Amino acid sequence: MDTCIDFTLPQGASGARLRQRFGAARAVWAAHAPGEVRAVLDAAEDAARAGAWCVGFVRYEAAAAFEPALATHAADGPLAWFAVYDEALPWEEGSTGDAAHVAWRSSLQREDFNQAMARIHEAIADGVFYQVNYTAPLHGELLQGSAEALFAALLRAQPGGYAACIDTGDEQILSVSPELFFDWDGRRILARPMKGTAPRGATPEEDEALAERLRSAPKERAENVMVVDLLRNDLSRIAEPFSVQVPRLFHTQALPSVWQMTSDVQARTRPGTRLADVFAALFPCGSVTGAPKVAAMRMIQALEPHPRGVYCGALGVLRPAGVGRMHATFNVPIRTLALRGTQAVCGIGSGITSGADAEGEWREWQHKRAFVERASQPFELLETLALEDGAWRHLPEHLQRLQDAARHFSYPWSAQVGQCLDELAAAHPAGLWRVRLQLDAQGRARAEAFACAPTLEPVRLQLAAAALEDRWTQGEFVRYKTSRRAHYEAFAPQDPAVFDTVLFNARGEITEGTRGNVAALLDGRWITPPPACGLLPGVGRAIALREGRVREGMLRLEDLPRVQAWAFVNSLRGWLAAELELPR
């Protein structure tokens, strides 16, 4: 597997990227003991100043190489590793073979998470530290596909940051981190710590409201400011006097599954500063340790039983920048996987302050893991349409929804979509047909038609036996219709007499059915749950709202005995009278 990088250029033109791949390395330097780390960094810097490209990483466990008081576990690989290349090659978009499929399991149970949170809060109350970054690994098995295919899927799931794929021979590091550790041209240095997270909204209005809430939330702002203060202090160790500045605070950045808050801290470095000096001042980044750093890292070592590895360390590129000069850009390797054979590890975590609560942090972890869940199993975008006597029902609405999903998941849109629908309509000029339209990650479209019999009303509905987990109701595989439907299929009716199952979220709010939306007549008016409850807003639902037949309204489990009538709604079946059986 070729090493490659896809980095934002943080001090260049807006949107500019450094996208390169590398062939065979001229040399590889690795440090296996703390005393060897500085020498590896010096060698990489000297090679870049002499005109070479160097790509590599520093593990979180290398912290003691710069400050012996920084506690970590023993490393499970080289503390620092850099490969040297005589040239950078053009980025290539190519076939990666079979799509990757990874099965993940969490190493941390909710009860253990709650206990760790209690320990952290007790230490904060005792004045040991005021913030700590707590993490745990997800463990996965690569069931299908290659490391290249998995990296390509990760890039689609988390585009636009500081991505790199490194193959050391023993392991592959696949990083799609959105967080800049530092960008240094030998004179000016920029750090961009990332602290503060919120989920993306189900509608543009809700999305903007969540972003604004993140920007203004006291807990999130306090967490961000703590890290900014730590980075200011760290940078001052290598900065010219009075040059440390914070030109931007509380900037919200939209990622596919979450909003993140960043701030900029910059400075001018003192003449003679070396790359190893930069690491000695900043490493590990305060956003993944907490503050004060020494005390926070002691707590991390006590709470986390295994080494973090490259996750939460630093990964980056040194490139030539003129005679005797070089430019270094490193990410903080969050949203990063380590792959050894078929075994994968991906860390997930968050910063804990006195204002954090276990329930909120646990939800944040679920949001953060969405990127790896999206990348770990191939899926297609999906629309179900009605074709009646050769004419499409609500075609513009379906195409718009499919196009919105393609934009969200970075799937290419092609003319194939219209072509395959035209061909299908021409082949089925009479009768009612259920059409399944799918679009894959390469922009290939296909459509199939199935005979559709009339539905006898009222249809029978059942209530789900348990709540749909937050990671689904608050995730993108509910907001957008795809072929990844295991979370729906788990609740599908087993009794052929039952038409569909009515779902609800962990807050006890009704959401939707497994096959369409629902509406209820409550207190004399028809209501349908809003997208914020965690549901796919169907085309049939949109039509009913537009016609004024129904309005959005919250419907909770305790309201069900008062519901006077039910309806099932989707584009294929229309508005169907329904009956819901309540559990006794």
Side-chain angles (χ1 to χ4, degrees), residues 221-242:
R221 291 169 72 94
E223 189 178 322
N224 194 281
V225 165
M226 288 178 191
V227 174
V228 167
D229 285 345
L230 191 155
L231 263 293
R232 289 175 59 202
N233 183 65
D234 286 351
L235 274 176
S236 69
R237 298 163 63 185
I238 53 171
E240 289 185 344
F242 312 112

Side-chain angles (χ1 to χ4, degrees), residues 116-399:
M117 287 286 293
R119 287 185 63 183
I120 292 170
H121 280 302
E122 183 179 353
I124 292 174
D126 290 341
V128 177
F129 47 75
Y130 45 89
Q131 183 188 53
V132 70
N133 195 76
Y134 175 46
T135 78
L138 299 173
H139 294 281
E141 183 178 1
L142 182 61
L143 303 175
Q144 175 186 312
S146 63
E148 292 96 330
L150 181 55
F151 183 60
L154 288 166
L155 276 176
R156 288 193 297 270
Q158 186 81 65
Y162 305 88
C165 177
I166 296 177
D167 189 351
T168 71
D170 295 324
E171 66 180 337
Q172 293 81 45
I173 306 299
L174 314 178
S175 179
V176 288
S177 174
E179 182 172 4
L180 174 69
F181 182 16
F182 66 83
D183 184 75
W184 181 51
D185 63 6
R187 175 66 172 160
R188 182 173 178 266
I189 189 166
L190 168 69
R192 186 169 287 159
M194 180 175 283
K195 269 295 166 221
T197 306
R200 297 299 303 271
T203 65
E205 296 76 18
E206 184 193 8
D207 200 38
E208 180 52 40
L210 288 167
E212 180 56 36
R213 190 181 306 165
L214 173 62
R215 285 188 287 266
S216 58
K219 180 258 181 187
E220 304 292 353
R221 291 169 72 94
E223 189 178 322
N224 194 281
V225 165
M226 288 178 191
V227 174
V228 167
D229 285 345
L230 191 155
L231 263 293
R232 289 175 59 202
N233 183 65
D234 286 351
L235 274 176
S236 69
R237 298 163 63 185
I238 53 171
E240 289 185 344
F242 312 112
S243 71
V244 179
Q245 298 177 334
V246 182
R248 186 170 69 168
L249 266 174
F250 310 139
H251 173 70
T252 47
Q253 178 181 348
L255 302 178
S257 58
V258 292
W259 284 99
Q260 297 272 195
M261 189 155 62
T262 65
S263 293
D264 286 3
V265 189
Q266 64 185 31
R268 295 188 306 275
T269 53
R270 292 193 289 267
T273 299
R274 299 275 292 174
L275 180 65
D277 299 324
V278 174
F279 270 86
L282 303 181
F283 189 83
C285 182
S287 64
V288 292
T289 62
K293 191 177 288 187
V294 172
M297 289 182 66
R298 288 195 188 117
M299 176 58 81
I300 290 168
Q301 185 190 39
L303 291 176
E304 300 179 19
H306 306 292
R308 289 181 171 183
V310 178
Y311 171 65
C312 292
L315 184 155
V317 57
L318 309 176
R319 61 190 190 275
V323 178
R325 300 178 58 225
M326 65 94 208
H327 197 127
T329 309
F330 281 81
N331 74 15
V332 179
I334 58 175
R335 317 293 197 274
T336 297
L337 281 65
L339 188 63
R340 292 181 177 177
T342 60
Q343 300 304 303
V345 178
C346 175
I348 301 291
S350 62
I352 312 299
T353 63
S354 60
D357 67 274
E359 181 63 32
E361 296 302 317
W362 185 258
R363 283 200 305 269
E364 181 175 320
W365 285 31
Q366 309 313 305
H367 299 319
K368 286 180 174 177
R369 68 182 282 179
F371 89 99
V372 76
E373 289 177 338
R374 184 203 283 195
S376 296
Q377 183 179 334
F379 63 92
E380 296 179 320
L381 308 184
L382 175 65
E383 285 293 317
T384 304
L385 303 87
L387 177 63
E388 189 169 12
D389 295 331
W392 295 104
R393 191 184 299 163
H394 309 311
L395 181 60
E397 289 87 350
H398 281 286
L399 291 181

Side-chain angles (χ1 to χ4, degrees), residues 32 102 114 275 314 454 478 512:
H32 297 276
V102 184
N114 290 347
L275 180 65
V478 161
E512 60 183 332

Side-chain angles (χ1 to χ4, degrees), residues 341-490:
T342 60
Q343 300 304 303
V345 178
C346 175
I348 301 291
S350 62
I352 312 299
T353 63
S354 60
D357 67 274
E359 181 63 32
E361 296 302 317
W362 185 258
R363 283 200 305 269
E364 181 175 320
W365 285 31
Q366 309 313 305
H367 299 319
K368 286 180 174 177
R369 68 182 282 179
F371 89 99
V372 76
E373 289 177 338
R374 184 203 283 195
S376 296
Q377 183 179 334
F379 63 92
E380 296 179 320
L381 308 184
L382 175 65
E383 285 293 317
T384 304
L385 303 87
L387 177 63
E388 189 169 12
D389 295 331
W392 295 104
R393 191 184 299 163
H394 309 311
L395 181 60
E397 289 87 350
H398 281 286
L399 291 181
Q400 183 61 57
R401 191 170 71 163
L402 185 64
Q403 211 162 4
D404 290 344
R407 188 179 304 110
H408 174 81
F409 288 109
S410 300
Y411 279 29
W413 183 263
S414 77
Q416 277 192 19
V417 175
Q419 292 169 3
C420 70
L421 290 178
D422 289 344
E423 292 170 2
L424 199 72
H428 299 80
L432 177 62
W433 301 87
R434 175 175 63 87
V435 174
R436 183 181 176 92
L437 172 63
Q438 293 175 265
L439 183 71
D440 70 14
Q442 286 71 46
R444 295 179 299 230
R446 59 190 176 96
E448 299 174 276
F450 305 89
C452 187
T455 305
L456 298 178
E457 301 179 68
V459 296
R460 182 176 161 198
L461 306 177
Q462 67 180 14
L463 187 65
L468 195 61
E469 296 178 43
D470 279 347
R471 69 190 181 103
W472 295 119
T473 58
Q474 298 174 12
E476 57 194 355
F477 288 104
V478 161
R479 297 200 310 272
Y480 297 95
K481 191 170 185 176
T482 76
S483 60
R484 190 177 295 183
R485 297 180 58 81
H487 50 293
Y488 288 127
E489 291 164 2

